[in-house]
Amino acid sequence: MNKEISAVLKNNMDHLNSELNTDKNFDIIYRTLKIADRQAGFYFIDGFVKDDIMEKVLEFFYGIKAEEMAKDMHAFSHQFLPYVEVDILDNWNAVVTNILSGVLCLFIDGYDSCLAIDCRTYPMRSVEEPEKDKTLRGSRDGFVETVVFNTALIRRRIRSPKLSVEMLQVGKSSRTDVVVCSMDDRVDTQFLERMKDRIKAIQVDSLTMNQESLAECLYHRKWFNPFPKLKHTERPDTAASALLEGNIIILVDNSPSAMILPTSIFDIVEEADDYYFPPVTGTYLRLSRFVITLMTYLLTPLFLLLMQNPEWIPQGFAFIVIKDEINIPILAQFLILELAIDGLRLASLNTPNV
């Protein structure tokens, strides 16, 4: 793969046919055509290329005359390719990665480089409101599985040149696109560089579970610590708000949510409704949610402690004492109840809407 791109079209096509196994993979398509007086060949993935754009590009190619041909690929792209997303590639690693990502790659006999035309389109669902992060007020759009659309949803809300969107790749086989978003004038630069170094240092074959696999690689969790180290959101407005507060947003291709870091327990119990309501109402909602969160962690063990030590129960709460005969220990009853609730939750997740 370190071999340089040849100026002979046949050598380049033989190398790519061998590298991509085009005789075996039906969806990797290559075509040959004639541009002016030179032979040319292009490769693309079936299902990723926009047909209408390809027709327009080929019309320009067929209209080129022999005496008009440029001396190199750079001049050719500027002179004869009136398309927005075009790049010149001069190494095989970049060529193979672009082809497998859906980019159309063109080789012309006599040019020792490749012309990458990004006319791809991905299958995707609409940017509908996420089921988990619904709000009473505010926008109704949400992240999708295509990372380019997710960055566009953030750019739509933050029209500042200080917003940086850097793309990295993780995984030897998957080469998954990972995007790191930050505000240059608000982010902690040392923390940002440390996160990017961690992402670049990840040595895995693929991010099998997308975002969760990346989170496990970034933060090696202790088994006895159940608390999350990252906040996840499927709402672009929440991600944009976090960026403006100086946080870092990490987007992973094929994942419809964003990772927000650093984070704290106060950030995790936040919701978008806290900001869409007036300050008094939003503050009340946040405080009530925080109190209820604490109660879910403390109420059960406190109740068990009081049942083991009835003399500690205040007189006003004497009604909580269990006076009937206990056949099953209280701790076992709570564990059975917890298991039953988890079973109901799993049943609701796996039951069709009908």
Side-chain angles (χ1 to χ4, degrees):
M1 292 295 287
N2 294 325
K3 187 172 117 178
E4 293 184 357
I5 296 176
S6 171
V8 180
L9 175 64
K10 185 179 183 305
N11 295 341
N12 293 330
M13 295 191 69
D14 288 344
H15 178 79
L16 271 181
N17 290 340
S18 172
E19 189 69 34
L20 298 176
N21 293 320
T22 54
D23 57 338
K24 184 186 300 182
N25 297 307
F26 78 95
D27 59 336
I28 300 179
I29 299 174
Y30 67 95
R31 292 286 307 276
T32 57
L33 69 156
K34 200 166 186 179
I35 300 178
D37 58 345
R38 303 192 185 191
Q39 288 293 327
F42 58 90
Y43 290 76
F44 61 93
I45 301 291
D46 190 17
F48 281 167
V49 173
K50 300 177 184 177
D51 296 337
D52 51 347
I53 296 178
M54 273 300 304
E55 290 178 7
K56 293 292 184 183
V57 171
L58 291 176
E59 284 181 14
F60 281 102
F61 288 163
Y62 287 132
I64 301 173
K65 298 178 182 179
E67 60 271 15
E68 296 175 342
M69 285 298 289
K71 62 180 181 179
D72 56 26
M73 189 67 84
H74 288 272
F76 178 87
S77 66
H78 288 295
Q79 189 174 352
F80 299 114
L81 196 57
Y83 189 68
V84 179
E85 298 178 73
V86 177
D87 196 11
I88 306 296
L89 308 177
D90 54 9
N91 67 84
W92 283 115
N93 282 327
V95 170
V96 172
T97 301
N98 274 269
I99 292 174
L100 295 177
S101 299
V103 178
L104 183 143
C105 288
L106 173 70
F107 297 87
I108 301 176
D109 195 28
Y111 295 158
D112 60 351
S113 56
C114 171
L115 184 63
I117 308 170
D118 194 351
C119 56
R120 58 186 164 177
T121 179
Y122 287 124
M124 61 165 289
R125 58 185 176 88
S126 61
V127 287
E128 58 192 9
E129 184 179 20
E131 289 289 333
K132 191 176 180 181
D133 292 341
K134 287 183 178 293
T135 58
L136 299 176
R137 297 181 183 178
S139 59
R140 302 294 179 184
D141 56 352
F143 287 132
V144 293
E145 285 76 12
T146 307
V147 71
V148 176
F149 290 96
N150 293 341
T151 55
L153 289 171
I154 295 177
R155 285 279 186 192
R156 183 182 179 185
R157 289 167 167 81
I158 305 177
R159 301 172 182 177
S160 170
K162 298 294 184 181
L163 174 60
S164 295
V165 180
E166 302 177 62
M167 181 173 286
L168 307 172
Q169 286 189 336
V170 178
K172 182 180 178 182
S173 296
S174 65
R175 296 179 182 176
T176 306
D177 293 329
V178 176
V179 174
V180 181
C181 308
S182 62
M183 294 294 293
D184 292 339
D185 56 343
R186 307 187 187 197
V187 71
D188 183 344
T189 54
Q190 292 184 348
F191 179 72
L192 174 63
E193 291 301 322
R194 191 161 67 248
M195 286 295 103
K196 289 196 292 187
D197 290 341
R198 285 189 184 183
I199 295 174
K200 293 176 183 177
I202 294 175
Q203 299 293 330
V204 293
D205 186 60
S206 67
L207 296 180
T208 309
M209 303 305 295
N210 299 326
Q211 206 168 62
E212 185 59 28
S213 299
L214 181 65
E216 293 289 344
C217 294
L218 288 177
Y219 290 102
H220 299 287
R221 298 183 181 179
K222 303 288 193 302
W223 65 269
F224 52 81
N225 183 4
F227 297 100
K229 293 183 172 60
L230 304 166
K231 180 180 178 180
H232 299 266
T233 181
E234 295 184 32
R235 298 188 61 89
D237 50 359
T238 302
S241 174
L243 281 171
L244 295 174
E245 292 173 359
N247 296 78
I248 299 172
I249 300 296
I250 298 180
L251 303 170
V252 181
D253 197 20
N254 298 313
S255 178
S257 62
M259 298 164 56
I260 303 176
L261 60 155
T263 190
S264 65
I265 187 66
F266 299 100
D267 297 323
I268 292 171
V269 298
E270 277 184 354
E271 286 187 2
D273 278 331
D274 298 346
Y275 295 92
Y276 282 120
F277 283 96
V280 174
T281 308
T283 302
Y284 164 74
L285 290 173
R286 183 180 298 185
L287 288 176
S288 61
R289 193 181 305 111
F290 188 71
V291 170
I292 292 171
T293 302
L294 288 177
M295 289 176 62
T296 58
Y297 284 112
L298 302 178
L299 202 58
T300 300
L302 179 62
F303 179 79
L304 290 174
L305 180 65
L306 293 178
M307 290 302 99
Q308 293 175 355
N309 302 274
E311 66 277 6
W312 294 357
I313 301 176
Q315 190 64 32
F317 290 91
F319 64 89
I320 69 171
V321 178
I322 300 176
K323 298 179 180 178
D324 297 333
E325 184 179 354
I326 300 175
N327 297 318
I328 301 176
I330 298 178
L331 178 60
Q333 293 184 34
F334 272 107
L335 292 177
I336 294 172
L337 178 62
E338 191 71 29
L339 182 63
I341 293 174
D342 289 338
L344 291 174
R345 185 185 297 114
L346 289 173
S348 64
L349 288 174
N350 291 281
T351 302
N353 291 335
V354 175

